[in-house]
Each structure stands twice: as structure tokens, then as C-alpha cells.
Amino acid sequence: MSVSGGQSVAEFLSSRPLVTLTFAQSLDGKIAGKEGKQLILSGKESMLMTHWMRTKHDAILVGIGTALNDDPQLNSRHIPEDERPSHLPRPVILDANLRLRPDCKLLKNYRERKGRRPWVICDADLTSNDIGRKSTLEDAGARVIGVPSVDGFIMIPDLLKVLYNLGIKTLMVEGGATIIGSFLAEPARTEPNAIIDTLIITIAPTLVGNDGIGYGEKLSATQIPSLKHIRTEVMGQDVVIVSALE
Ligand SMILES: NC(=O)c1ccc[n+]([C@@H]2O[C@H](COP(=O)([O-])OP(=O)(O)OC[C@H]3O[C@@H](n4cnc5c(N)ncnc54)[C@H](OP(=O)(O)O)[C@@H]3O)[C@@H](O)[C@H]2O)c1
């Protein structure tokens, strides 16, 4: 079976980063509030764990929905300064249509030398309208990288190979909802699972309700990857479950 570009699964596995998919959810499986309102679901202990994990990865990936909605910094600022490793992960934003705002915190932090240069992954086939937005983002500090897309969705296997060839050996994927769905659904097309190595979910003791945003609604039963439980930890009021994908 081939994954992308005619590669076998074995060849693909040796040419993509190790991938950790991680996010926080409520007891009723929501990762954001009504209309995507950002919710701080993690308590301070599990938030600290997330910031430590960031320092263990070469890059942190979020989708453009999260970048626009939350304006994240994707750094390790919750770790006390005297304990904070000097390594800063590379921010990567999946943004097929180059909708990222040039004044977002990720670009501002880079310009102020407080963060690494963000990589913006867009559709490899840019239209002439997109070229102007590309220049604007590059002027603001972004490195814009084209990767093939289908229906506006960047192809995850191609993305992983591009990142690996650019030196990213470990990738932490933090969301949001659509990105989580894409990474979880991908294994069904690349049997055996070839996309995610580790899934780390923080479960917070809170309910959000029907208005909230979940991530599993579009996963069909045949797409659900099989998980091998590795560890469960209680962190403050949260439960953190670590699984490997088989
Ligand atoms: N609880 C948590 O741990 C957590 C973590 C992160 C985010 N969030 C929440 O998640 C919400 C945002 O989720 P979201 O679904 O709106 O946005 P998202 O998943 O961050 O980004 C999705 C967008 O990324 C682009 N994209 C390009 N290639 C893609 C691919 N292969 N798969 C998926 N998307 C691709 C598409 O943009 P185009 O439409 O431009 O093509 C797509 O609409 C926010 O409310 C945020 O607060 C929660």
C-alpha cells in the first residue's frame, strides 16, 4: 500500500516526524465553547505539562481556525524562567488560503525576538490573489511554504514529509477541532496507522454542552484509529490519558 508519492508505508514512516496529537477537552468531549469561544480547560498543572511538552518538540502545529480565534503564542511561558529550557519550538500554521493576520502574536513575537519564525503552510497552487497575501505575511516575518491540498485541505502525509525534510523530527499537533479530526481520520487511509504516534488528551472536570465545539463528529466508525493505553495521570483536577496509536 502506498501513502503518498508512491512511497510504501515503511518508507513514509522513516521520512516523517514523530507526531504527538494533544489537546484538552471537557467531560462531554468539547474543546471550545459556543461559536469557537476559547475555553481554558486545562488547570495549571496540566497546562504546565503542555508547556513542558512543547519544549520537547521541534515544532508545534495549529490550524488557521485556532490561529485566528485564539491568537496563540505556542511558547513555554508557564515554565518558571530559571527552569525553562532555551529550546523554543517552531510554530507551524496550516493555512491553505493564507488567512493568517500579519499582526498576530506569533509573528509579533518573532519580530520582537521572543519566538521562532512561524512557518505558514499554504496550498502549493496559489492564485494571483493569494500572492499579495503571501508577500504581506513574508514582510511580517512568516516563512510561507506550499504543500499540495485537496478541497482546501493540506494533505497531511505530504505536509509531514515536507516538515521532515526541513529538519522537523518531532511535531506536536495542538488543534483545533478540524485539524484534530483530520489527523485522527488519516490513519484509515494509511493502514497501518502511519500519521500519529502518541495521543495525549487532558480531560477537565467541566461540562460545556451542545453549543460547544467537539472534534469527533465527522469521524466515521471505520475511521476511528485503534489506541493502546500507555498511561493515565491525575494532574491537579484534570486527568491526562496517554495512548499510542496501533
Ligand atoms: N481545547 C484545546 O486543546 C484546543 C486546542 C486548539 C484549538 N482549540 C479550539 O479549536 C477551535 C478552532 O478549531 P477550528 O476547527 O475552527 O480550526 P482549526 O482546526 O484550528 O483549523 C482548521 C482550518 O485549517 C485549515 N486546514 C488546512 N489544511 C487542513 C487539514 N488538512 N485539516 C484540517 N484543517 C486544515 C482549514 O482552513 P481554510 O478554511 O482556510 O481552508 C481549516 O478550516 C477554536 O475554538 C480553539 O479555541 C482548542
Side-chain angles (χ1 to χ4, degrees), residues 22 24 40-57 60 74-85 172 174 200 202 235-238 240:
T22 184
I40 308 298
L41 292 162
S42 302
K44 65 177 190 312
E45 293 85 356
S46 55
M47 181 72 84
L48 189 59
M49 174 204 70
T50 299
H51 281 223
W52 271 109
M53 276 202 301
R54 286 177 177 172
T55 70
K56 306 283 180 209
H57 289 80
I60 313 293
L74 307 180
N75 57 21
S76 48
R77 64 192 180 284
H78 286 292
I79 302 174
E81 216 164 326
D82 55 339
E83 293 172 34
R84 198 178 301 158
M172 180 164 156
E174 287 202 24
I200 303 180
T202 296
M235 292 196 184
Q237 61 180 14
D238 303 332
V240 178

Side-chain angles (χ1 to χ4, degrees), residues 22-25 30-33 35-39 41-42 62-67 69-70 94-99 121 149 151-156 174-183 186 213:
T22 184
F23 53 89
Q25 67 168 61
K30 307 295 181 190
I31 68 159
E35 289 161 7
K37 181 178 181 291
Q38 185 181 18
L39 297 178
L41 292 162
S42 302
V62 293
I64 183 62
T66 299
N69 193 71
D70 303 357
L94 272 201
D95 183 11
N97 303 299
L98 295 176
R99 297 193 285 136
I121 309 296
S149 76
D151 299 332
F153 275 41
I154 302 290
M155 300 300 290
I156 304 291
E174 287 202 24
T178 316
I179 295 289
I180 295 167
S182 285
F183 273 78
E186 197 70 45
I213 308 285

Side-chain angles (χ1 to χ4, degrees), residues 68-143:
L68 293 175
N69 193 71
D70 303 357
D71 199 10
Q73 302 195 63
L74 307 180
N75 57 21
S76 48
R77 64 192 180 284
H78 286 292
I79 302 174
E81 216 164 326
D82 55 339
E83 293 172 34
R84 198 178 301 158
S86 56
H87 169 74
L88 279 172
R90 166 87 55 199
V92 177
I93 302 110
L94 272 201
D95 183 11
N97 303 299
L98 295 176
R99 297 193 285 136
L100 186 67
R101 282 192 297 263
D103 61 348
C104 68
K105 286 182 187 155
L106 287 171
L107 286 166
K108 193 161 166 280
N109 284 350
Y110 169 63
R111 292 193 297 270
E112 293 173 358
R113 296 172 184 272
K114 290 191 285 192
R116 297 187 70 186
R117 184 178 193 188
W119 291 355
V120 179
I121 309 296
C122 70
D123 188 336
D125 288 325
L126 287 181
T127 65
S128 50
N129 285 345
D130 298 327
I131 303 290
R133 287 202 298 283
K134 179 173 184 270
S135 312
T136 305
L137 285 175
E138 286 172 339
D139 290 346
R143 176 174 180 184

